[in-house]
Amino acid sequence: MRPPNIPLAPTPEAPVTSRNGTTLPPYTTVYFFDQLIDHNRPSLGTFQQRFWHTYEFYEPGGPIILMTPGETNADGYSGYLTNRTINGLIAQQQNGSTIVLEHRFYGLSNPYPDLSVKSLRVHTIQQAIDDLEYFTKNVNLPMPGGDRVTPDKAPWILIGGSYAGALTSWTMVNKPGLFFAGYASSAVVEAIVDFWQYFEPIRQNMPANCSADVQAVIAHIDQTFSGKNTTAIQAIKTSFGLGNVTHLDDVAGALRNNLWDWQALQVTSGPGAQFFKFCDALEVKNGQNAPATGWGLDNALAAWSQFWRNGYLSNLCGKADVETCLGTYDPTLDYWTDTSIDNAGRSWFWIVCNEVGYLQEGAPVGKPSLVTRLIQPAYDLRQCQQMFPTAFPRPMTPRVALTNLKYKGWSVKTKRLFFANGVRDPWRDATLSADGLNSQSTPAQPIGLGDGFHCSDMGLSSAVDPTIAAVQNEALTSMKQWLATWKPRGGPYSPTFPRSTPQGSMTVTPPVKSKPVNAWFRKVGNF
């Protein structure tokens, strides 16, 4: 299951200077904020939450632009402080300051020293929203006047992409008026358990011949694996290099990896991208491209299995044996039991199992499917029990109805929140641009739709596509119009925290390698 996280943006190495010529700390400078461990029990104390900040474009009266990269270690995301991203473009246009805040339980921002079930009890969507509120009202930013920019005295803009884009929407619903405006890219606002639609934008936009042949191979594998011809079953397993994988759903499910590679694409990706290498392996024969209907089952099955044996499998698994790498039934593996911090896969899986779902499965019978129907929600939910056995002693289902009720999901109606989505984004059907949803774009809640992939609109480099450039320009226009109406409220917020100062680096033991059976943290396309 690939996670809905955001692309990395490049961080310039040139010196940073303010508009009056002052030399500023490098974008990569780390600061800490004393965040509450549990917003329901402040007496439990605080933990250090990392953030990155610049006031390169700031002038008094300008907005404070806050982003969390969401479900990942925030190291490397300081590029979102710059005008190579929509964050910095808004800051440059509106004389704003930019912040990147690490999400609780990711990277080195941890309320507790491990990721045990006991610790993760305070890892919820609501706690993350409350973090944003507490930060805005109490941070003393490392810049002139940094203690006088609370939301009553300066307009704050919340920005996020993917899960963090959804968090932007959910926060503006849950904390009306806290953020004056928001920008939500590829925002997966609707929590969905069986999210088979993840693969629909891929099927609709990938080369037609590749789609046809992938569907043919998957249908054949499902039929064979559902039968009793053990010789034919073993032949398929062996052809992919998976002869020693015990469970057939693990074998068939592993082939989802080739489709998950779509999420690594951006509009700047060239023909050498992994997904296109895969399709070329299936559809180019003797220098000739297959027709739109593909070469057919026999060629596609042989080519796909050869592609796995000739490097793809070793790239997935490294030196691990295939059962350890791709099997999901041994609960004693470190992957399930390691509770070390800075393990984004474990932290995200907790949210998946409890609140959002987003399980990427085969399509219902009667609809075309790029991936096996042997993988259904029970397959992934079993893994919730294996990773968190004390939390889930019995089979469970994520509480998506409660999430959608509390934070409004597809029904969100708020003011000054810009949604930006991409036609080719595999997460599109959890956004306000989902097929058949027909959400209306309004001046107060615009929905910009470009021909991008996942969060393409967040990067300036994606503006080479005119449809994405149009979305970015529409957002900049909306922000300019909205911010022209902002007035100080004269509220009660007055930070008592000392001004944040640069902190030294910290290191932790790397967590266990993620397994490509869930692909929560396979790489996404970068700018």
Side-chain angles (χ1 to χ4, degrees), residues 7-72:
L8 286 168
T11 303
E13 296 182 1
V16 186
T17 57
S18 71
R19 284 186 166 165
N20 66 11
T22 302
T23 300
L24 304 182
Y27 298 119
T28 53
T29 303
V30 180
Y31 303 91
F32 287 105
F33 173 74
D34 290 328
Q35 183 63 262
L36 293 178
I37 291 173
D38 184 347
H39 294 274
N40 299 316
R41 300 172 65 193
S43 61
L44 291 179
T46 63
F47 69 97
Q48 289 195 313
Q49 188 171 28
R50 296 196 299 177
F51 72 97
W52 291 255
H53 167 263
T54 191
Y55 58 104
E56 178 182 9
F57 302 116
Y58 182 74
E59 296 179 16
I64 309 300
I65 300 165
L66 174 63
M67 186 199 81
T68 174
E71 68 286 24
T72 187

Side-chain angles (χ1 to χ4, degrees), residues 199 203 206 209-227 236 240 242 248-260 278 282-283 296-302 304-305 308 360-365 367-376:
F199 298 101
R203 183 183 64 82
M206 69 190 289
N209 51 14
C210 190
S211 174
D213 278 341
V214 167
Q215 291 177 56
V217 171
I218 290 301
H220 172 70
I221 289 176
D222 278 3
Q223 182 179 31
T224 303
F225 282 8
S226 298
I236 289 176
F240 281 90
L242 304 177
L248 296 182
D249 50 5
D250 285 341
V251 176
L255 302 185
R256 292 180 294 175
N257 279 280
N258 296 111
L259 285 307
W260 282 322
F278 165 65
L282 270 61
E283 305 309 325
L297 172 62
D298 292 343
N299 180 83
L301 179 59
W304 194 347
S305 59
W308 269 64
Q360 298 138 43
E361 323 292 30
V365 174
K367 295 184 179 294
S369 188
L370 296 175
V371 300
T372 178
R373 291 189 176 91
L374 298 181
I375 299 296
Q376 295 298 319

Side-chain angles (χ1 to χ4, degrees), residues 276-433:
F276 295 131
K277 288 181 180 179
F278 165 65
C279 279
D280 284 349
L282 270 61
E283 305 309 325
V284 179
K285 182 169 63 172
N286 300 323
Q288 297 294 316
N289 289 321
T293 55
W295 292 120
L297 172 62
D298 292 343
N299 180 83
L301 179 59
W304 194 347
S305 59
Q306 184 179 34
F307 184 74
W308 269 64
R309 295 195 314 274
N310 288 354
Y312 190 81
L313 177 58
S314 60
N315 287 337
L316 272 185
C317 294
K319 296 180 181 179
D321 66 86
V322 291
E323 177 64 24
T324 299
C325 175
L326 297 168
T328 65
Y329 285 83
D330 182 358
T332 67
L333 294 177
D334 287 347
Y335 175 76
W336 308 110
T337 62
D338 184 5
T339 60
S340 304
I341 64 168
D342 195 20
N343 184 346
R346 184 178 180 89
S347 294
W348 175 244
F349 207 39
W350 177 259
I351 297 296
V352 166
C353 298
N354 280 287
E355 297 188 272
V356 298
Y358 302 138
L359 309 179
Q360 298 138 43
E361 323 292 30
V365 174
K367 295 184 179 294
S369 188
L370 296 175
V371 300
T372 178
R373 291 189 176 91
L374 298 181
I375 299 296
Q376 295 298 319
Y379 175 88
D380 291 311
L381 296 177
R382 167 180 52 80
Q383 296 173 38
C384 292
Q385 293 182 268
Q386 291 179 192
M387 188 166 281
F388 310 111
T390 59
F392 308 118
R394 293 176 296 278
M396 38 63 68
T397 300
R399 302 184 301 275
V400 298
L402 182 60
T403 300
N404 294 328
L405 177 65
K406 187 171 184 179
Y407 305 115
K408 303 306 181 185
W410 283 327
S411 301
V412 58
K413 293 289 187 296
T414 189
K415 294 180 180 179
R416 299 183 296 275
L417 175 55
F418 191 98
F419 287 98
N421 296 318
V423 170
R424 293 181 284 179
D425 179 7
W427 292 94
R428 188 189 69 216
D429 281 343
T431 76
L432 290 184
S433 296

Side-chain angles (χ1 to χ4, degrees), residues 118-137:
K118 181 179 179 181
S119 297
L120 291 172
R121 295 294 185 189
V122 290
H123 182 32
T124 66
I125 292 171
Q126 189 59 52
Q127 291 280 354
I129 291 173
D130 292 342
D131 283 349
L132 298 176
E133 179 181 34
Y134 192 76
F135 182 86
T136 66
K137 293 180 178 179

